[in-house]
Amino acid sequence: MKKLNVALVGFGSLGQSFARILLEKKEQIEKEYETTVNVVAITTKTRGNLVDAWGIDLQRILNTVEETGVFPNQHKTVLHQTSLEIAEAVDYDVLIEMTPLDMNNGQVATDHIKTALKRGKHVICANKGPLAWHYKELDELAKANNCKLLFESTVMDGAPLFSLIRESLKMCEIKEIRGILNSTTNYILQGIEQGKDMKDIVSESKKRGFIEANPKYDVEGAEAAAKLAALANVVMDADVTPDDVDTTGIEDITKEMVEEAAARGNVYKLICRAYRKNGEVILKVAPEEVNKMNSFAAVTGTSLMVSLTTDLMGTLTIMTESPEVDQAGYGIFSDLLSVVEDLK
């Protein structure tokens, strides 16, 4: 039986979802791949750190966190006190980066990833920041150290976007990206259509837990710009940052504007675009009027959609309908299986 040791950086709702999936599929992984997956470290900002070379009891940790919000007392003190120390010192094969997005420069997540890759460790990243600000550097570092750098949960909440491109669109050139990549703004715009006030919708979004800790990142388009930059860097070799995205949010969209658009048979959507012009990748995030007969108008609530225009396969569209945290958790799990499948 082969063994794969995993270190988790972050253990919020996403990390807990991944842990539940891993527990559910543990026996199946062992049967189909003759591999046992052990979580040997969990590092968090508020709950403390756990390190156990023999494997952490995930079910016990999940139960305790659900009951108390923190790790068991007897596990709170470990030799490595910071996430970077754990990334540098613990004996793991795969680092899974699940820290919150930093809208300034993608840190400290990028340093976690660099540390792991320099050690020759595979990395699964659910944080779009490192891809949005530092993808080229990280990709080169992964290749130089013969490591996998996987990130299915960064843009479409676990929907198989990057794996589709990697496995099924080989040698296709992606000429244009068009998408609804921010679920919160989509939800807010639909609420305005229904006559609700934006402040009330934002408050409701906070209660449901899918808006950024700082709501202006969603409302002003910054989160969508980070996703677009990450996607363009990976699939269009753009080498850009969110600062290169021409970004306009939805903060100035009013009920009157939405009603006027409806009278024209249109709805407002925050549309992300990336396309080539004179050899340069142009990126834009802005609210647009979309005809109600257009497929993008059918993207309701917290659903997401992206269309890829290619040279050989025309335009392909993928949609994930009202994704929850478990879909993003599965994105991480599917990336992990990609590592497991390559074990020799």
Side-chain angles (χ1 to χ4, degrees):
M1 184 76 71
K2 298 182 288 291
K3 183 167 70 173
L4 190 72
N5 289 338
V6 175
L8 308 183
V9 184
F11 201 67
S13 57
L14 179 57
Q16 293 168 48
S17 173
F18 166 73
R20 286 190 291 269
I21 294 171
L22 186 59
L23 285 170
E24 180 183 345
K25 299 297 182 180
K26 178 179 176 60
E27 290 185 5
Q28 189 173 348
I29 294 172
E30 292 175 351
K31 181 179 179 180
E32 294 188 17
Y33 298 104
E34 296 183 344
T35 300
T36 181
V37 178
N38 288 327
V39 174
V40 296
I42 306 175
T43 175
T44 72
K45 186 175 181 179
T46 59
R47 294 187 174 99
N49 302 325
L50 305 177
V51 176
D52 188 336
W54 296 99
I56 293 168
D57 184 343
L58 281 181
Q59 189 60 67
R60 178 168 177 259
I61 298 304
L62 283 168
N63 292 342
T64 304
V65 168
E66 184 176 344
E67 292 172 4
T68 69
V70 297
F71 291 147
N73 288 331
Q74 59 266 46
H75 286 290
K76 281 190 175 179
T77 302
V78 296
L79 292 175
H80 315 293
Q81 296 300 317
T82 70
S83 55
L84 275 176
E85 287 175 350
I86 285 176
E88 290 168 349
V90 171
D91 183 17
Y92 58 84
D93 303 298
V94 183
L95 182 86
I96 302 181
E97 210 323 312
M98 298 176 287
T99 58
L101 172 65
D102 183 325
M103 286 303 304
N104 295 314
N105 58 7
Q107 290 291 11
V108 58
T110 299
D111 284 343
H112 295 148
I113 295 171
K114 286 182 182 178
T115 299
L117 294 175
K118 288 176 181 178
R119 294 182 62 196
K121 310 298 184 181
H122 303 298
V123 171
I124 296 169
C125 179
N127 185 327
K128 64 191 74 67
L131 307 185
W133 274 273
H134 306 283
Y135 174 69
K136 186 174 183 179
E137 178 186 4
L138 296 176
D139 182 53
E140 291 174 350
L141 190 58
K143 290 174 180 175
N145 289 279
N146 196 30
C147 299
K148 284 183 176 291
L149 174 61
L150 301 168
F151 32 77
E152 197 65 89
S153 291
T154 52
V155 172
M156 288 280 285
D157 288 340
L161 173 62
F162 293 109
S163 58
L164 170 71
I165 295 167
R166 184 172 61 246
E167 301 298 332
S168 302
L169 295 179
K170 294 175 181 177
M171 295 193 181
C172 276
E173 178 188 356
I174 294 176
K175 294 179 171 294
E176 182 177 2
I177 299 167
R178 184 169 180 252
I180 295 173
L181 301 180
N182 181 272
S183 57
T184 301
T185 51
N186 201 56
Y187 182 81
I188 291 172
L189 289 171
Q190 185 176 349
I192 295 174
E193 290 174 38
Q194 297 167 349
K196 299 178 183 178
D197 184 80
M198 184 180 293
K199 290 183 179 179
D200 294 335
I201 306 169
V202 169
S203 178
E204 181 183 344
S205 301
K206 287 181 179 179
K207 292 177 182 177
R208 292 187 59 183
F210 59 78
I211 198 168
E212 290 288 335
N214 187 339
K216 75 175 185 179
Y217 290 156
D218 287 306
V219 174
E220 295 180 2
E223 197 267 354
K227 281 188 173 182
L228 183 63
L231 186 54
N233 283 339
V234 175
V235 307
M236 298 181 75
D237 195 28
D239 195 19
V240 296
T241 76
D243 294 334
D244 299 307
V245 182
D246 180 6
T247 305
T248 302
I250 66 167
E251 63 272 25
D252 293 328
I253 300 295
T254 64
K255 292 180 183 179
E256 290 75 20
M257 293 170 64
V258 169
E259 290 170 356
E260 290 170 2
R264 292 187 287 269
N266 298 333
V267 295
Y268 272 101
K269 298 292 181 183
L270 186 70
I271 301 294
C272 302
R273 294 178 181 269
Y275 58 93
R276 297 188 186 278
K277 183 178 181 180
N278 299 324
E280 181 182 1
V281 178
I282 308 300
L283 304 105
K284 183 176 182 180
V285 172
E288 297 181 16
E289 284 191 41
V290 176
N291 187 273
K292 290 181 180 179
M293 299 301 293
N294 188 290
S295 59
F296 278 86
V299 182
T300 58
T302 58
S303 300
L304 301 169
M305 177 182 282
V306 64
S307 287
L308 307 172
T309 301
T310 74
D311 59 344
L312 301 177
M313 272 298 293
T315 299
L316 300 173
T317 300
I318 182 170
M319 176 180 174
T320 178
E321 187 172 348
S322 302
E324 300 289 344
V325 68
D326 286 345
Q327 278 84 351
Y330 175 76
I332 297 170
F333 180 75
S334 67
D335 281 342
L336 183 66
L337 290 184
S338 296
V339 177
V340 171
E341 287 169 349
D342 285 348
L343 290 178
K344 298 179 180 179

